[in-house]
């Protein structure tokens, strides 16, 4: 099963992708995570991506599509994958259809008012784990590896507003794109707890 996860910044794509990948034996592919790893390692891709990510804009389509195309050529995706954060505009969606076959698009629906609070309270670990301050009880280390938790650089109110605007203008049209292909399944309860959202996701995926 090949899944596209849609949703605004902070909708819970990463949180649900980890769970979906584990339960259904799929590979989790997050373009945001790939870019952040490249920025950390100061690669040429990271050098290009940084200014766009800091500004809350999309990294150019040629760069992003090529990364995903190459990633989907690896053998480990043969049992299926969850694309988290890709595609993010119509150009990317059309490009993806040239080199992949998507079975289902899950759209996580969350009120915009809640997104800022979720994102600004997010703390992440370099191992990939992600938390929210509301459930950390003041802890600042990762429960999985003991690493020090920190806020993502683009999780500040100004950049988040730009990311939300980018989402509304460029990414939201993909809801109709996948709807027209009869592949869209909407997770209506995105404001509920991660467990409740995951139960709804499993209900939709079967
Ligand atoms: P990316 O890393 O994809 O960020 P994003 O889309 O802005 O989404 P987030 O990762 O912020 O949110 P999420 O939906 O994963 O939520 P999460 O589960 O973490 O992209 C970053 C940047 O990279 C982009 O701005 C762009 O510049 C670039 N980029 C990436 N892909 C690209 C592409 N295809 N093309 C071009 N550029 C690209 O949850 C958020 C918080 O809420 C966490 O604290 C979590 O614990 C909490 N939470 C989650 N679910 C719940 C719940 N149900 N209840 C309560 N709290 C919850
Ligand atoms: Mg994410």
């Amino acid at each position: 099963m090949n899944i596209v996860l849609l949703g605004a910044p902070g909708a819970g794509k990463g949180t649900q992708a980890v769970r979906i990948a584990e339960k259904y034996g799929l590979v989790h592919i997050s373009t945001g995570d790939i870019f952040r790893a490249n920025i950390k390692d100061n690669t040429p891709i990271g050098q290009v991506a940084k200014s766009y990510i800091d500004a809350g804009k999309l990294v150019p389509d040629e760069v992003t599509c090529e990364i995903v195309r190459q990633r989907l050529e690896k053998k480990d995706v043969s049992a299926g994958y969850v694309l988290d954060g890709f595609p993010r505009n119509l150009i990317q969606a059309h490009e993806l259809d040239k080199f992949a076959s998507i079975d289902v698009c899950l759209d996580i629906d969350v009120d915009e008012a809640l997104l800022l609070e979720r994102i600004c309270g997010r703390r992440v670990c370099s191992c990939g784990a992600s938390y929210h301050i509301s459930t950390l009880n003041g802890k600042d280390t990762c429960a999985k590896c003991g690493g020090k938790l920190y806020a993502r650089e683009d999780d500040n109110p100004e950049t988040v507003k730009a990311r939300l605007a980018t989402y509304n203008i460029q990414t939201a049209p993909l809801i109709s794109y996948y709807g027209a292909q009869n592949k869209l399944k909407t997770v209506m309860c995105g404001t509920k707890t991660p467990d409740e959202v995951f139960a709804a996701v499993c209900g939709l995926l079967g």
Side-chain angles (χ1 to χ4, degrees):
M1 181 160 50
N2 300 333
I3 301 173
V4 162
L5 260 188
L6 269 188
K13 299 182 296 296
T15 302
Q16 297 302 322
V18 170
R19 293 170 180 228
I20 294 167
E22 191 185 4
K23 176 170 168 133
Y24 293 92
L26 308 175
V27 177
H28 173 201
I29 300 171
S30 157
T31 40
D33 287 349
I34 292 170
F35 288 133
R36 283 183 288 278
N38 276 277
I39 291 171
K40 190 167 164 241
D41 295 342
N42 198 23
T43 67
I45 286 173
Q47 287 166 13
V48 171
K50 188 170 180 354
S51 61
Y52 293 95
I53 292 181
D54 287 349
K57 294 180 178 166
L58 296 184
V59 177
D61 294 329
E62 318 80 78
V63 179
T64 310
C65 291
E66 185 56 17
I67 285 173
V68 176
R69 195 187 61 75
Q70 285 185 17
R71 181 64 188 85
L72 295 187
E73 277 179 357
K74 295 201 175 158
K75 287 203 180 106
D76 64 342
V77 302
S78 57
Y81 46 82
V82 190
L83 289 176
D84 160 7
F86 184 93
R88 240 174 162 102
N89 61 23
L90 286 166
I91 294 171
Q92 294 182 7
H94 285 294
E95 203 54 38
L96 178 65
D97 282 342
K98 291 182 194 164
F99 57 77
S101 174
I102 299 303
D103 300 302
V104 54
C105 169
L106 281 176
D107 176 38
I108 307 177
D109 187 41
V110 176
D111 292 343
E112 198 161 310
L114 196 64
L115 299 172
L116 196 67
E117 180 198 319
R118 277 200 189 170
I119 296 177
C120 293
R122 172 169 45 200
R123 295 296 178 270
V124 297
C125 177
S126 56
C127 78
S130 176
Y131 304 87
H132 192 271
I133 47 170
S134 59
T135 55
L136 278 169
N137 298 321
K139 286 191 206 115
D140 64 354
T141 50
C142 177
K144 291 184 182 151
C145 76
K148 181 95 173 147
L149 300 180
Y150 56 92
R152 256 168 55 177
E153 264 190 49
D154 60 343
D155 281 355
N156 62 77
E158 199 186 328
T159 309
V160 172
K161 276 186 201 141
R163 284 160 60 196
L164 285 170
T166 302
Y167 169 79
N168 286 324
I169 296 165
Q170 301 202 50
T171 310
L174 295 183
I175 296 171
S176 307
Y177 179 82
Y178 285 107
Q181 294 187 6
N182 280 326
K183 290 177 180 167
L184 182 71
K185 291 184 190 286
T186 307
V187 184
M188 300 297 293
C189 62
T191 49
K192 293 193 176 171
T193 66
D195 286 350
E196 288 170 319
V197 175
F198 186 56
V201 165
C202 295
L204 290 170
L205 290 178

